[in-house]
Amino acid sequence: MDHVFGFSYGAPFVGNYEPPKCDFDTVRINLTVTSRGKQFDRLALMYLGDNEVFRTSTAEPTANGIVWTYVKEMSQYNSLWKSPQKLIFDLGNIINDVYTGSFNTTLTAHFSTKQNVKTADLILPISAKRSASNSSSAFQLPTDNTTVMYEVPAAASRAVVSISACGQSEEEFWWSNVFSEDTQDFESTVGGLYGYTPFREVQLYIDGILAGLVWPFPIIFTGGVAPGFWRPVVGTDAFDLRQPEIDISPFLPMIQDGKQHSFEIRVTGLNVSADGSATLANTVGSYWVVTGNIFIYVDSESSASKVTITGDNSRPKVDASLPVFAVTRNLIRNKTGGNDSLSYSVVVERVFGATSSLYSWSQKLSFSNHGLLNQQGYSQVNRQLTTGTNTITELGETPISNNISFQYPLVVNATYGLTLNETTIDSWMKRGLDFEATGGLGISTYTLTSGPSYLHTSQSGTAQYKSVTGGSSSSWGDTFNVFDGQTNGQSYHRSVHAVNGTVVYDTEPKGKNSASSPQDHGDTGRDSVRAIVGKGPGAFVN
């Protein structure tokens, strides 16, 4: 692909892919993008047919121009790469007299043989299946019905579902949302807030039965909170949004009967009643971009699966107890009767399990978020922590288990200043993504590798933004980034310190140290914080 995304909403790149005339078991893609001018960060999705295989986002360009390259492991989709496909790359962008930055993109693929691990024999999309009309196949929740129907092959021995889901618009900063009853608490000062609490749960259903859960990582795109944080080092996973996995092997006995079965993805927040009790809302604000893939592995030693051999065609035993909630809320008014501050907290614990005669899938999840809006809503801080452990066990005389444990710490503070002449943002943050996995089947869409792996990432720093009404805008940032990982016994460590858009320290020998200066965007200032970063004071932004 060699394509310029200018005014491209609803107009993705569409091309025809033909497999190379060589044997291969390893595929890696190279995405290189250049841009110059003024532009927001944009979400991009890549499809092979109706299957989403890559979700990324753009960096925000500067007046002098930027370039970035991302190389991604794609061997987990080998069964798709082996046959001709319609390649769709959807990067919706706007070009006008204000937003001038196009995204010039080049996408190439490299095929090789490296004696790679076995990957799925069949990959079925949980998507809107719009490739025939040259369109993106992503669902939007809560408006779309995400149900798809499939007949699962009798020879399937294992099945794993990957979930790709992220919030946009009202849901981009879901981790900073308030209780729905508080969305108008600071209407007279900073405007309306977004609701359904800061808790989100992504659910997978098979034939209407809950089959597994994803508690999402709080992605922050390159324009999020304060742009100075993410120049030139973008937020964790912003260039490659991970796809958490749910092992549905315990459901195989139920769905290998030669009949069609339904698969559905839902996203929910919370409702909090007047008495302080919390329940799943079964909906969210507008909107989440959602797809999934069903990775099916066929037993290589027999035309029939273990399920067929054992004769077990019953539904699994499912433990889907409701989450345990603890919530608090305190709204304080000033002497004149106006709302001065709002503090709130949400703590959630949940366990889930599904067991058949051959496999057991279990999840133990924990979430907490403590939020405070003060200064009549002009300052907000959220302290959040999500942790969990997912385990798949092959039952038998000697059970074999694989598991992954993860945690997502997040602390973000932003204070907004508004006058007739200028708008300012002062912010600090500390966040991370950590996991430890024993490995398992194929190449994981979450760990992005096969075999045992470990990852610790952290980002911390301060950032400021200033926009002069009718004038220019500038941002400053000081961010320290740590990446520490190990895969199949090979370790990698890197620490990078960036100040005002320039890398001033890098443990990588090829890293470049140079002087720093504030980033002048040279654009016309905007008088709404919400128009700049998608949250904070200002009118609702669609």
Side-chain angles (χ1 to χ4, degrees), residues 152-442:
V152 176
S157 59
R158 290 288 300 277
V160 176
V161 173
S162 66
I163 303 289
S164 186
C166 64
Q168 296 281 278
S169 190
E170 298 175 13
E171 291 286 307
E172 180 175 349
F173 303 98
W174 51 268
W175 45 267
S176 68
N177 285 17
V178 299
F179 297 2
S180 294
E181 68 174 297
D182 291 310
T183 56
Q184 303 303 312
D185 284 353
F186 302 101
E187 174 68 28
S188 63
T189 54
V190 300
L193 305 173
Y194 301 127
Y196 296 107
T197 81
F199 173 78
R200 293 295 179 270
E201 179 175 87
V202 184
Q203 305 166 334
L204 173 68
Y205 286 83
I206 299 177
D207 287 348
I209 303 169
L210 186 63
L213 309 164
V214 171
W215 287 12
F217 172 71
I219 193 81
I220 301 178
F221 298 110
T222 58
V225 183
F229 281 131
W230 321 118
R231 294 173 175 163
V233 183
V234 300
T236 303
D237 283 7
F239 279 165
D240 190 357
L241 280 69
R242 295 173 194 272
Q243 300 175 25
E245 295 160 313
I246 297 170
D247 199 310
I248 63 168
S249 299
F251 284 81
L252 285 178
M254 184 183 81
I255 59 179
Q256 288 180 286
D257 56 0
K259 299 178 182 179
Q260 294 270 313
H261 294 271
S262 67
F263 297 80
E264 180 187 5
I265 300 171
R266 304 177 191 173
V267 182
T268 181
L270 299 182
N271 284 329
V272 180
S273 62
D275 64 4
S277 60
T279 56
L280 294 173
N282 297 320
T283 190
V284 287
S286 180
Y287 57 98
W288 280 71
V289 180
V290 174
T291 71
N293 285 313
I294 309 169
F295 292 80
I296 295 177
Y297 294 77
V298 174
D299 194 319
S300 59
E301 298 180 356
S302 172
S303 61
S305 70
K306 294 179 181 179
V307 172
T308 304
I309 294 172
T310 60
D312 180 5
N313 60 359
S314 61
R315 61 180 286 177
K317 179 182 178 182
V318 176
D319 176 9
S321 303
L322 290 174
V324 177
F325 302 109
V327 300
T328 65
R329 171 186 176 272
N330 187 26
L331 179 64
I332 297 178
R333 293 179 171 83
N334 55 34
K335 294 180 180 179
T336 62
N339 293 332
D340 188 67
S341 68
L342 170 69
S343 61
Y344 58 96
S345 67
V346 178
V347 178
V348 188
E349 304 280 346
R350 188 164 201 184
V351 294
F352 174 85
T355 304
S356 68
S357 61
L358 294 174
Y359 293 98
S360 175
W361 167 253
S362 64
Q363 298 182 266
K364 185 177 182 181
L365 304 166
S366 176
F367 170 92
S368 65
N369 185 298
H370 299 267
L372 171 66
L373 287 95
N374 58 13
Q375 301 179 31
Q376 297 181 319
Y378 285 104
S379 182
Q380 181 173 4
V381 61
N382 287 87
R383 294 176 171 85
Q384 178 170 296
L385 178 63
T386 305
T387 64
T389 300
N390 298 336
T391 304
I392 181 67
T393 301
E394 183 176 359
L395 304 175
E397 292 184 4
T398 306
I400 302 172
S401 294
N402 283 297
N403 63 71
I404 181 167
S405 297
F406 58 88
Q407 66 172 358
Y408 311 142
L410 173 72
V411 184
V412 176
N413 173 271
T415 300
Y416 311 107
L418 301 179
T419 69
L420 291 176
N421 298 320
E422 67 179 27
T423 298
T424 62
I425 305 172
D426 288 282
S427 186
W428 57 268
M429 64 86 191
K430 184 175 183 179
R431 62 196 296 249
L433 184 155
D434 301 330
F435 67 74
E436 187 169 1
T438 61
L441 202 60

Side-chain angles (χ1 to χ4, degrees), residues 37-42 60-61 93-95 99-103:
K38 176 183 174 183
Q39 195 55 260
F40 285 142
D41 56 79
R42 303 296 185 185
E60 290 194 341
N93 192 33
I94 292 176
I95 295 293
Y99 305 110
T100 59
S102 296
F103 294 102

Side-chain angles (χ1 to χ4, degrees), residues 43-109:
L43 188 67
L45 285 73
M46 173 184 167
Y47 302 88
L48 293 178
D50 294 322
N51 297 84
E52 181 187 340
V53 296
F54 180 33
R55 183 173 299 196
T56 185
S57 67
T58 66
E60 290 194 341
T62 64
N64 294 327
I66 60 172
V67 59
W68 74 91
T69 294
Y70 188 80
V71 177
K72 177 175 174 60
E73 170 69 73
M74 294 288 273
S75 307
Q76 59 268 46
Y77 302 105
N78 274 345
S79 64
L80 298 177
W81 291 110
K82 295 286 186 179
S83 60
Q85 301 284 347
K86 181 180 288 186
L87 191 153
I88 298 176
F89 199 98
D90 184 31
L91 195 169
N93 192 33
I94 292 176
I95 295 293
N96 55 29
D97 57 346
V98 177
Y99 305 110
T100 59
S102 296
F103 294 102
N104 302 276
T105 61
T106 301
L107 179 71
T108 58

